[in-house]
Amino acid sequence: MTSTVQTELIRQDGTRFPALWLRDNCPCGSCQIPGSGQKLFDITDLAPDIEIARAEEDADGVRVVFAPDGHRSRFTHTWLETHRPGPAPAYDDRTEDAKTLWVAADLQGTVPTGVWPAFADDPAERARCLQALLTQGFVILHGVPLADRAVLDVARSFGYVRETNYGELFEVRVEENPANLAFSSRPILPHTDNPYRDPLPTIQLLHCLTNAAAGGDSGLVDGYQAAATLRREQPEAFDLLTRTPVTFRYADSGADLSTSAPLIGLDPLGRIKQIRFNNRSMRPIALEPDRIPAFYEAYRAFAELLYRPAAQLGFRLEPGDCVIFDNTRILHARSGFTADGARHLQGCYADLDAAASELAVLRRTLDIIDQLERLFNDEGGSEYLGEPVTQAAHMLQTAAHAEAAGAPDALVAAALLHDIGHFTGHISGHQLMTGTDNRHSHTGADWLATWFPPDVTEPIRLHVAAKRYLCAVEPDYRQRLSSASLYTLDVQGGPMSATEADQFAALPHAQQATALRRWDEAAKDPQAAVPPFARYRPLLTRLLHTSPDA
């Protein structure tokens, strides 16, 4: 379909895309940095009177030519559907809309927990725990080593340590004449940490090294849930607490920190986004005298909701436990304990944006691994181009041969995925068997290059050429080929000439490709026992890029 539009593009479903909006979001390599998506121009570089000179729609997307600059852009249907303009409010994963609100009874039998070794080593487990942190507000890890500063390793496994005046980490244990009540044995009511900072640390971690004291149990309260209840039951009090700035301050010999913000912070659309609640650090409220009673009435109402026994999830941190929670949402508390009993926690701060970023990267990682596994289980179950094994069995056998030979991880992955181009290209492997070269080595390598480094993709790209090379330089190699492989050899160009062979041998990944080719030819045994695809998930995950698609 071809259409001529001036100020906007109108799709068949009636969705309108203003010309300047489209031009500003052109995804081409001249307009955005591949991977990060950062724009290479500023709004002032665009003509204010941008128009659409021509638009051509096909099955995959829309090609647009703009005037007056003549720039050409291509937008996929998926991109247009995802980003189409409309009245829907912008999604913000830091607000109440993206959270699962709770009181203690809601978590009966479902407290989000994990185990440190799995969290550290298994992307799926780390993603599950981070998802709980971001939606329920906390997760408790068991089995963290009882080692000094181990809490920093936990924080760095998903982000970065936020250093404060307390240092990289802080010791939670009884001190003489403590400047902070956390370093005493007194009970502490639910509160958020560091409300006197701007920006405040958004994640807190507490790792238990010793807990032999009588008492000293921990508690967590969902501040978003309490704020939502206040909004529903006492809307005037809620409104007052969202509009009244409160000053928090902390001062000692080495620090003097102060900021002002409402107890309940909202985003521009009125959604709950941040709780600052810490009576110990709150300074005198600055209001006209006749407004102070109403503020204190609202303040008390909110506190009573936060302090309700039913709101608080109580638990005891045992040695090796590490609780990670959202300090902009979850209030933490502690019961008093006997000062003569040993109780020692180490804590540190981190930030939610790093945890959200890590989760997004993990999801991309897990998505492509899941996609590969589906290809093996579905398309891979078909016959392998005239051979006595399925395509999936052939690739799994090739990977097993690579492992048996002690190949590095990248080459094992290349062996496992070397024929993926039969599934992902426009021309199928079956058409190869009818005399059309589907160039599956290049198609597969190009497709995989979005996620995998050259040490994986380039042996795949060269594995067909490696067959042609080996047939040229080893006189008896051709005799080792199956009938189907001999047939495709001719379709793919036959043995290389001497010049071609020399050029191939000089390529950076030629040696790996020839090794892959030998395992390829040996991987056609219908009786061979091979491990399932799942065996290779951790290996593939370790090799994946972490940058997003261009």
Side-chain angles (χ1 to χ4, degrees), residues 170-200:
F170 49 88
E171 311 282 355
V172 184
R173 56 190 173 190
V174 175
E175 298 177 355
E176 287 189 26
N177 303 316
N180 191 311
L181 291 182
F183 309 138
S184 74
S185 61
R186 295 180 57 174
I188 300 178
L189 289 172
H191 66 283
T192 61
D193 261 22
N194 286 219
Y196 38 78
R197 292 185 188 278
D198 187 13
L200 54 76

Side-chain angles (χ1 to χ4, degrees), residues 23 38 64 73 76 120 239 248 268 274 316 362 365 400 433 469 491-492 500:
R23 179 66 185 87
Q38 290 194 329
V64 178
S73 302
T76 66
D239 182 61
F248 299 94
Q274 186 178 91
R316 185 174 180 83
L362 288 169
T365 298
M433 297 307 293
Y469 168 79
V491 175
Q492 293 159 340
E500 289 175 324

Side-chain angles (χ1 to χ4, degrees), residues 519-536:
W519 301 323
D520 182 340
E521 299 298 352
K524 301 171 183 178
D525 180 0
Q527 305 303 318
V530 292
F533 178 89
R535 169 189 171 88
Y536 298 101

Side-chain angles (χ1 to χ4, degrees), residues 199-223:
L200 54 76
T202 51
I203 289 178
Q204 184 170 173
L205 299 88
L206 291 170
H207 175 216
C208 180
L209 296 173
T210 305
N211 196 0
D217 291 346
S218 300
L220 299 177
V221 174
D222 186 352

Side-chain angles (χ1 to χ4, degrees), residues 280-293:
R280 289 172 287 146
S281 301
M282 187 170 158
R283 302 298 93 187
I285 188 73
L287 286 174
E288 295 86 350
D290 59 351
R291 295 177 58 195
I292 288 178

Side-chain angles (χ1 to χ4, degrees), residues 54-194:
R54 188 167 67 255
E56 298 178 356
E57 187 170 1
D58 56 31
D60 297 323
V62 180
R63 298 180 186 275
V64 178
V65 179
F66 294 95
D69 61 2
H71 188 79
R72 297 174 180 269
S73 302
R74 178 173 179 78
F75 302 93
T76 66
H77 290 309
T78 300
W79 189 93
L80 291 170
E81 183 65 25
T82 301
H83 299 285
R84 62 179 176 177
Y91 178 77
D92 185 344
D93 62 6
R94 297 278 286 273
T95 70
E96 60 182 306
D97 286 359
K99 310 300 183 183
T100 301
L101 308 189
W102 54 265
V103 294
D106 298 327
L107 299 177
Q108 187 172 4
T110 61
V111 173
T113 61
V115 178
W116 167 247
F119 182 90
D121 298 333
D122 182 353
E125 177 66 3
R126 189 157 66 256
R128 184 187 67 80
C129 291
L130 291 177
Q131 177 67 29
L133 170 64
L134 295 174
T135 56
Q136 292 172 282
F138 75 100
V139 64
I140 302 171
L141 296 183
H142 302 300
V144 176
L146 299 178
D148 183 46
R149 304 174 70 83
V151 69
L152 301 178
D153 295 332
V154 178
R156 288 170 179 148
S157 70
F158 64 84
Y160 307 93
V161 174
R162 169 83 174 273
E163 189 167 356
T164 70
N165 60 299
Y166 301 112
E168 274 193 320
L169 61 74
F170 49 88
E171 311 282 355
V172 184
R173 56 190 173 190
V174 175
E175 298 177 355
E176 287 189 26
N177 303 316
N180 191 311
L181 291 182
F183 309 138
S184 74
S185 61
R186 295 180 57 174
I188 300 178
L189 289 172
H191 66 283
T192 61
D193 261 22
N194 286 219

